[in-house]
């Protein structure tokens, strides 16, 4: 990867996802300097050739700085700290799931300092990254995207450029709305098939191999079959994204009947107390509404990733 | 494929899908005798080593007879003709999209003649078969499935066994309900993204590469981007399958809010006159409800198959 | 009521509703002969001037025979028994909630015997009848309606003639679909108002006095305020009528999104075990989905009838 | 009305509704001084004994000032002008359809001046007022409500007190959400009945006389039967109120599936270009979705008011 060697990389955030992304970058041969609030969490990245910074300011001199933290509040704080000194990167690539408004504010901050800014949210979770199946959706100056591309390619299987400004944020919201609808529909048909006599593992094995199967439906199969609802994404976060989607629908005058119906079912799930587990408990609500008590099928089910 | 050579195969139906399925079987080394109402359509299969029968009765002496025609009426007629003489196959594998009731009637006919019967509908269309991505979902005696497996494997990338009787028919209906919901949701978010400023080809490129992308969303992309709505599946047929799904929901007391909402949107599309094109015109209805006139983007878009 | 005196009336069925209807007819001056499976239940009607028959055949010589029983099976049986002898009435008016198909079969039976037949389902319950607020919707020969009108007017505050054949049955189904939707919507807004701080009795007092208030919303107020869900109409019966409405929607190609959504919510209520009380427990389900435990407000609330 | 004579009344706003309300007040014997931006529109009120002011400041010395204008912006402006001088009323009763936030801001303004404030939106339109069927829903200090009651009673057939603060605004929003749902449901069943063979006037005559009939369904009948869609309330305004209802649903965590579905259908109607007529064009959209072209039935239909 000759191109990749030309630019130096700073990486902010070594949480569950940030860690895996930085690891792929380092293993791919990029020169990465990582900073994380809790330095210890970043240290294992050195085995892939990454360096770990004590202070975030050390990253300011890097060509490209990636940011993968939690909330807009975190993003704002780390970027402010990054830019406190005189040095500044050529480009910042922000991958966290932040709002359109936050993203626009960040663009203003960075562009006033003549730093190129790529809004680059992702599709996937930590396991998906590890399996090499993450994808980026990017917006901002096309030049910045082209420049960053070799590094994005080290992390993700694919990167889409969708246009100027914060457009990638809207695309990410649409993606999550789709995820909500697909999960609820899957819950409906899985419960129907089960009540008709088809075990969940057999039903989902077919769906996942069929033309309708996706990486997502495959990695949700263990949850649906064995009722393991360890949180990957909370019901409250999904509701927030559905609401962002419906808000965009209002602004752009797009009726979204399936998104609306799904949103209300997520609210209903929350109202009934399913708040501490993964949003895939939509299956449990669907079963209850169908007069069915679910049990784990205790089957080994592939998630298509590991 | 040593096992495959042991059993002789009869194939009824050389329509768009049946032709491709028989072709794969013959090319895979199976000994296939094909019958089609219009013999000419079957003749090109000889180049793959298949033979073509003049009379359907010639197939009766084969070990396994596959059936891939259009409607239950057709199925009933060809099976009746197949069994008119003294010979009879060991097994019939029925792959057409017929109802649960039809399938049960067929089972009775065949089992009274001591012929094993596998109900084996599929996921995919002619192009999917050609691309080697078809899948079977099968129900009936497990022994029959095991015996048939090597031949199914020549045709499809995967085959799922879901249980006794007509269970595979319910699974196929669930599959098609899911397909309807996914298409409507995709229409909602595609129109939203476009009104926000993201071209459809860019939006769908991302979705299709993301964890949410499926073989199905990929092969529908050309229709969504370039508005080519040549029929693969009519709105009326999709409505019929949604109704079969909702009927099953009634019988098994499973509320299906997303399926119901989608069903009504398909009905609305039909009511407004979109009846002669592919069901993917759900996109056009969604655009119209959003005050948007769509134009083809005239982009080359991969369907992920060819 | 001079006209009313001209024709003699037979009345089949002295259940909760039939009793009150026959009582109004007798008190209004009509000459009524009542038959009920359990004769004792009909006897109190003598205090209004009605006579009570031992055998249903005694009613056959009456000019008009009303029928108000439970199911189509009951209707068929009593009409068969009524017509066993040589005598026959000039007209039968059937008021039970039977299906379109049952009604059509009855029409054939009666018209082959040259007996005029009016299909005349009603809007209201026993209390509504007593309060003089029942209404009829009628279909069949217009002449029969005109002849029957004075007697309908003794029972009900109003009678609508909607056309030939079984049209009144469809209208009754539409009425009940509307009733389901209105109840669910009322549940949604009542729970919203309560969570915002408005007691249910105050909220419903306003709605019931507003332009949106109906006899129905008023007589459901006690249930909503004091959580008295003694059955007037079971969830299962309402689901049946919603399904009849949706079936008609399929036949006539009318998408009914609100009816569909309501139907699924009723199914969900049944799935969760609310089956033994009034369908107004839709309020309880709505509250549960909103994370709210309801308590009776113990307020005296008028039902607008008594 | 002895009590009414004790307090002097100021009235701001002589638009379609304000004019009729002030007229009832004056005819009922109250001492009313009216101000309207265009003085001429208020002058005919003198025939009922009202006086008309040149300047809004003349109303400041009145005991109670009612306000019935269009938007929150108008309300703010007239109240600011009213309070410019040293005089001030004892109470302001605000009847326009303003938001919760506007209402709260107004409360702060008035209470800081020690003026009692009653939030008092209404149910009905100009014709409803004239027919004596208007109702108020009020919130604020109970004392203020009790003091105002005799004057409210001159205008409206009923007034409900629902609690402190801006609660009446939420109730009005719930009322309008209900109105939207009821209209859509009525459109669904009216089109179904028509396709089954029942003329709209006959169908609605029954519904309106049935237990489901309300003042609202009755005054919408002429629009549904004769397709007169002169604006009483625009689709955009109804969408705004549905959105206020759904926003409240989000804030209080109440899923509102029927309100959501109706909201999307209103958006769809707007998207298809029905924006210049009454929101009752939901009927036209429903017909189009059902493959039906509607024609006026040219029937004289009572609206239950005139």
């Amino acid at each position: 990867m000759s191109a990749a060697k030309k630019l130096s990389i700073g990486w902010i955030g070594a949480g569950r996802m940030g860690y895996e992304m930085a690891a792929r970058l380092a293993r791919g041969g990029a020169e990465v300097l990582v900073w994380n609030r809790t330095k210890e969490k970043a240290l294992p990245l050195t085995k892939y050739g990454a360096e770990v910074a004590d202070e975030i300011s050390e990253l300011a001199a890097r060509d490209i700085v990636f940011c993968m933290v939690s909330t807009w509040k975190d993003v704002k704080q780390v970027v402010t700290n990054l830019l406190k000194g005189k040095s500044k990167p050529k480009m910042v690539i922000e991958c966290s799931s932040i709002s359109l408004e936050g993203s626009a504010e960040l663009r203003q901050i960075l562009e006033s300092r003549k730093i190129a800014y790529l809004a680059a949210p992702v599709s996937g979770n930590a396991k998906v990254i590890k399996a090499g199946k993450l994808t980026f959706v990017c917006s901002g100056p096309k030049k910045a995207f082209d420049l960053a591309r070799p590094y994005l390619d080290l992390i993700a299987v694919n990167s889409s450029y969708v246009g100027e400004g914060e457009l990638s944020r809207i695309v990410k919201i649409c993606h999550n709305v789709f995820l909500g609808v697909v999960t609820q529909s899957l819950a409906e048909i899985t419960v129907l098939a089960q009540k008709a006599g088809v075990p969940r593992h057999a039903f989902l094995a077919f769906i996942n191999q069929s033309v309708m199967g996706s990486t997502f439906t495959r990695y949700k199969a263990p949850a649906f079959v064995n009722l393991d609802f360890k949180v990957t994404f909370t019901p409250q976060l999904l509701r927030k994204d559905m609401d962002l989607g419906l808000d965009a629908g209002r602004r752009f005058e797009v009726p979204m009947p399936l998104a609306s119906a799904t949103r209300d079912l997520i609210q209903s799930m929350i109202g009934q107390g399913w708040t501490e587990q993964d949003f895939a408990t939509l299956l449990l609500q669907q079963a209850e509404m169908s007069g069915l008590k679910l049990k784990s099928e205790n089957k080994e089910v592939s998630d298509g990733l590991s």
Side-chain angles (χ1 to χ4, degrees), chain A residues 53 91 100 106 115 154 156 180 188 205 227 253 296:
Chain A
M91 192 191 308
L100 216 104
L106 181 59
I115 300 165
L154 290 178
E188 292 179 7
L227 309 186
E253 300 203 284
S296 165

Side-chain angles (χ1 to χ4, degrees), chain A residues 49-62:
Chain A
E51 291 173 275
V52 178
D54 287 308
E55 302 295 329
I56 197 168
S57 55
E58 298 172 38
L59 276 63
R62 294 271 150 166

Side-chain angles (χ1 to χ4, degrees), chain A residues 1-279:
Chain A
M1 220 247 338
S2 60
K5 278 176 191 145
K6 288 182 202 153
L7 297 177
S8 61
I9 308 291
W11 190 279
I12 299 172
R16 273 180 21 103
M17 293 188 70
Y19 181 92
E20 297 296 345
M21 292 165 85
R24 289 187 68 87
L25 205 49
R27 283 191 303 182
E31 192 186 301
V32 189
L33 176 60
V34 182
W35 178 86
N36 193 54
R37 203 178 311 185
T38 315
K39 191 183 172 183
E40 287 65 33
K41 287 192 184 165
L43 287 176
L45 286 166
T46 54
K47 68 178 172 241
Y48 305 121
E51 291 173 275
V52 178
D54 287 308
E55 302 295 329
I56 197 168
S57 55
E58 298 172 38
L59 276 63
R62 294 271 150 166
D63 294 316
I64 299 180
V65 175
F66 282 86
C67 176
M68 185 59 164
V69 293
S70 287
T71 65
W72 164 232
K73 217 181 113 189
D74 297 323
V75 171
K76 202 169 173 178
Q77 190 179 35
V78 296
V79 171
T80 304
N81 289 341
L82 176 74
L83 300 181
K84 263 188 181 156
K86 280 182 185 163
S87 303
K88 59 172 195 177
K90 293 195 182 81
M91 192 191 308
V92 166
I93 301 179
E94 210 304 299
C95 312
S96 320
S97 275
I98 63 173
S99 71
L100 216 104
E101 289 71 23
S103 192
E105 191 179 333
L106 181 59
R107 186 168 304 280
Q108 217 169 16
I109 293 169
L110 293 169
E111 293 186 347
S112 71
R113 294 282 305 261
K114 312 256 183 231
I115 300 165
Y117 167 45
L118 211 58
V122 299
S123 166
N125 57 27
K127 266 192 126 174
V128 170
I129 302 167
K130 240 177 156 164
K133 298 193 171 179
L134 192 76
T135 51
F136 281 106
V137 56
C138 305
S139 62
K142 180 65 163 54
K143 264 191 186 170
F145 176 71
D146 291 338
L147 197 68
R149 190 64 196 261
Y151 305 93
L152 300 174
D153 286 355
L154 290 178
I155 301 168
V157 65
N158 231 310
S159 299
S160 297
Y161 176 77
V162 293
E164 298 290 323
E166 317 326 316
L167 285 179
S168 62
R169 304 293 180 182
I170 279 279
V171 172
K172 176 68 195 288
I173 288 167
C174 287
H175 169 281
N176 279 12
V177 165
F178 191 39
L179 183 153
V181 172
V182 163
T183 305
Q184 170 60 24
S185 184
L186 209 55
E188 292 179 7
I189 58 174
T190 301
V191 167
L192 176 57
Q194 176 170 351
K195 288 196 87 174
V198 184
R200 295 192 301 278
H201 69 272
F203 177 70
L204 291 170
F206 170 65
I207 292 292
N208 285 335
Q209 290 158 5
S210 81
V211 298
M212 301 309 300
S214 64
T215 301
F216 174 75
T217 64
R218 283 184 281 274
Y219 72 64
K220 276 299 167 202
F224 269 44
V225 172
N226 296 326
L227 309 186
D228 169 9
F229 295 111
K230 199 164 36 167
V231 168
T232 63
F233 197 50
T234 64
Q236 293 89 331
L237 283 174
L238 181 56
R239 179 182 60 185
K240 192 201 69 180
D241 281 358
M242 300 301 292
D243 281 341
L244 288 174
L246 292 172
D247 284 342
R250 289 188 191 181
R251 191 161 57 248
F252 295 108
E253 300 203 284
V254 176
M256 303 182 78
L258 295 195
S260 297
T262 302
R263 191 269 171 211
D264 283 328
L265 287 161
I266 296 165
Q267 176 61 67
S268 154
M269 169 172 65
I270 291 172
Q272 288 178 81
W274 281 294
T275 54
E276 305 307 311
Q277 293 172 286
D278 193 62
F279 72 94

